[in-house]
Amino acid sequence: MARAGLTTETLIRAGAETADEIGFERTTPTELARRFGVRTASLYSHVRNAHDLKTGIALFALEELADRASEAVAGRAGKDALVAFANVYRDYALEHPGRFAATQFPLDAEAAASSAGVRHAQMSRAILRGYHLTEPHQTHAVRLLGSVFSGFVGLEAAGGFSHSAPDSQQSWTEILDALDALLRTWPTTS
Amino acid sequence: MARAGLTTETLIRAGAETADEIGFERTTPTELARRFGVRTASLYSHVRNAHDLKTGIALFALEELADRASEAVAGRAGKDALVAFANVYRDYALEHPGRFAATQFPLDAEAAASSAGVRHAQMSRAILRGYHLTEPHQTHAVRLLGSVFSGFVGLEAAGGFSHSAPDSQQSWTEILDALDALLRTWPTTS
DNA sequence: ACCGCTTGCCTAAGCATCTTAGGCAAGCTC
DNA sequence: GAGCTTGCCTAAGATGCTTAGGCAAGCGGT
């Protein structure tokens, strides 16, 4: 019998594609084995268990997303950078719903440390550099941006905006305008 | 053998408590059966299946959350109402992590229609009444509030803010200040 | 070209969970 | 107390996760 050529890497990439097709939730060892024409047990030389597989997909997606964001932000500043950065997140979620769901998979401390999370935080800070916020306000603003992006995209993916006018694209555009205005006049009174 | 007195209602309430204790993910028919000292199959007269059970818990949590929010907002206006409303969400998530996770369970169209989602949207609009936004800006602002609240609380629950200073409470307070300022000067140029 | 070793994928098996079908008796109604 | 409803049961099948151990594919060296 010819071998399938499984590796940890192959499995995780296939897992990312599978997640986009049928959902991250349903991306299981059994499903991947089916797709590779292989017995489920055969995966266990390459992945410790189902949880480990999902963690791997999550780390892969976080890395891929950070790559895209870093490319989009390069050479931009101010609102330009903010919008580009924000759109990377939203487009990624719309284009790769399964991978985006994976980025929200709860990571244990060890996995979180080795994740691209740090890169994401650094990029947020780089964008805010154009708005001249001092600490601790910059940190609060970073957290606001993260909340808005993950919140909007999450609600949009869950269909929260789908059955009402105006369409979500318009809200997205206006919300980015509003965030830009807010960052330029961030209230530092507290 | 004395009967356990199962009903759909009892199961959902117990499910909500179980979710807070061991996580929404692990709140399954088998686990509930264990807690009631009953065979798993016995639940199936009261709940169609595992998915149905989770949907029931989600609807219960959404209703409970709407009740709290509606009580908090009553008699308040402007920033006062905004802060009270926002804190209901955050406190609910911190106090009842499992139920909050349940509120994010993807509902099918039928369940969504019968959910308290409408009440949540109405309350958001009621709060924004104090900020005198016209349509379609009010809708965009409603969506921003939803995004920020669900995003912040979700990230906080996932531990996103836990390993860095300043603590998340400070960010939350300053973000609410910023949102208030933003709503008072919402850019309506686009 | 052959031999031996590594290792990739296999079979076999155990366990947990979800779900359906059909049965018995608890406990209400009369 | 008799009869009926129905709540919970046992039994059984399907599917998924995981471990243990085996066989042979296909690499390295000679």
Side-chain angles (χ1 to χ4, degrees), chain A residues 56-131:
Chain A
I57 299 173
L59 293 177
F60 172 78
L62 282 169
E63 206 77 45
E64 188 175 48
L65 185 53
D67 289 344
R68 291 194 183 196
S70 128
E71 189 182 0
V73 166
R76 295 183 205 269
K79 184 176 180 184
D80 226 34
L82 176 71
V83 170
F85 186 67
N87 278 325
V88 164
Y89 277 83
R90 179 158 177 258
D91 293 346
Y92 190 75
L94 295 177
E95 194 181 329
H96 296 298
R99 300 182 199 197
F100 181 75
T103 65
Q104 298 182 324
F105 184 68
L107 300 175
D108 50 42
E110 184 194 6
S114 78
S115 80
V118 182
R119 288 175 64 198
H120 289 272
Q122 283 174 343
M123 283 187 283
S124 288
R125 289 207 133 72
I127 285 164
L128 289 181
R129 215 167 284 142
Y131 292 98

Side-chain angles (χ1 to χ4, degrees), chain B residues 53-150:
Chain B
L53 171 67
K54 291 195 163 193
T55 298
I57 299 173
L59 294 177
F60 171 78
L62 283 169
E63 207 76 47
E64 186 175 49
L65 185 52
D67 288 345
R68 290 196 184 195
S70 130
E71 188 183 0
V73 166
R76 295 183 205 268
K79 185 176 176 182
D80 226 34
L82 177 71
V83 170
F85 187 66
N87 278 326
V88 164
Y89 277 84
R90 179 157 178 259
D91 293 345
Y92 190 75
L94 295 178
E95 195 181 328
H96 296 297
R99 302 182 197 197
F100 180 76
T103 65
Q104 298 183 326
F105 185 67
L107 300 176
D108 50 41
E110 184 195 4
S114 78
S115 79
V118 182
R119 288 176 65 199
H120 289 273
Q122 283 173 342
M123 282 186 283
S124 289
R125 287 205 135 72
I127 285 165
L128 289 180
R129 215 167 283 142
Y131 292 98
H132 305 103
L133 290 169
T134 58
E135 284 300 351
H137 307 296
Q138 196 184 58
T139 299
H140 299 322
V142 165
R143 290 171 176 178
L144 172 62
L145 290 187
S147 300
V148 174
F149 298 162
S150 98

Side-chain angles (χ1 to χ4, degrees), chain A residues 11-161:
Chain A
L11 285 173
I12 287 175
R13 292 195 98 86
E17 275 157 35
T18 303
D20 286 336
E21 288 172 28
I22 64 171
F24 183 61
E25 196 68 20
R26 289 163 57 196
T27 301
T28 61
T30 301
E31 177 61 31
L32 285 187
R34 251 195 292 273
R35 292 183 171 225
F36 277 100
V38 140
R39 297 309 177 123
T40 306
S42 306
L43 302 202
Y44 283 77
S45 331
H46 307 284
V47 199
R48 247 202 312 268
N49 51 41
H51 185 272
D52 199 50
L53 171 67
K54 291 197 162 191
T55 298
I57 299 173
L59 293 177
F60 172 78
L62 282 169
E63 206 77 45
E64 188 175 48
L65 185 53
D67 289 344
R68 291 194 183 196
S70 128
E71 189 182 0
V73 166
R76 295 183 205 269
K79 184 176 180 184
D80 226 34
L82 176 71
V83 170
F85 186 67
N87 278 325
V88 164
Y89 277 83
R90 179 158 177 258
D91 293 346
Y92 190 75
L94 295 177
E95 194 181 329
H96 296 298
R99 300 182 199 197
F100 181 75
T103 65
Q104 298 182 324
F105 184 68
L107 300 175
D108 50 42
E110 184 194 6
S114 78
S115 80
V118 182
R119 288 175 64 198
H120 289 272
Q122 283 174 343
M123 283 187 283
S124 288
R125 289 207 133 72
I127 285 164
L128 289 181
R129 215 167 284 142
Y131 292 98
H132 306 105
L133 291 169
T134 58
E135 285 298 353
H137 308 295
Q138 196 184 56
T139 299
H140 300 321
V142 165
R143 290 172 176 177
L144 172 62
L145 290 186
S147 300
V148 175
F149 298 163
S150 98
F152 188 96
V153 171
L155 291 176
E156 187 175 27
F161 307 144

Side-chain angles (χ1 to χ4, degrees), chain B residues 16-93:
Chain B
E17 273 157 38
T18 304
D20 286 336
E21 287 171 29
I22 66 171
F24 183 60
E25 196 68 21
R26 290 163 56 196
T27 301
T28 61
T30 302
E31 177 61 32
L32 285 188
R34 251 195 293 272
R35 293 183 170 223
F36 279 99
V38 140
R39 296 309 176 121
T40 306
S42 306
L43 304 201
Y44 283 78
S45 331
H46 307 282
V47 203
R48 246 203 313 272
N49 51 40
H51 184 272
D52 199 53
L53 171 67
K54 291 195 163 193
T55 298
I57 299 173
L59 294 177
F60 171 78
L62 283 169
E63 207 76 47
E64 186 175 49
L65 185 52
D67 288 345
R68 290 196 184 195
S70 130
E71 188 183 0
V73 166
R76 295 183 205 268
K79 185 176 176 182
D80 226 34
L82 177 71
V83 170
F85 187 66
N87 278 326
V88 164
Y89 277 84
R90 179 157 178 259
D91 293 345
Y92 190 75

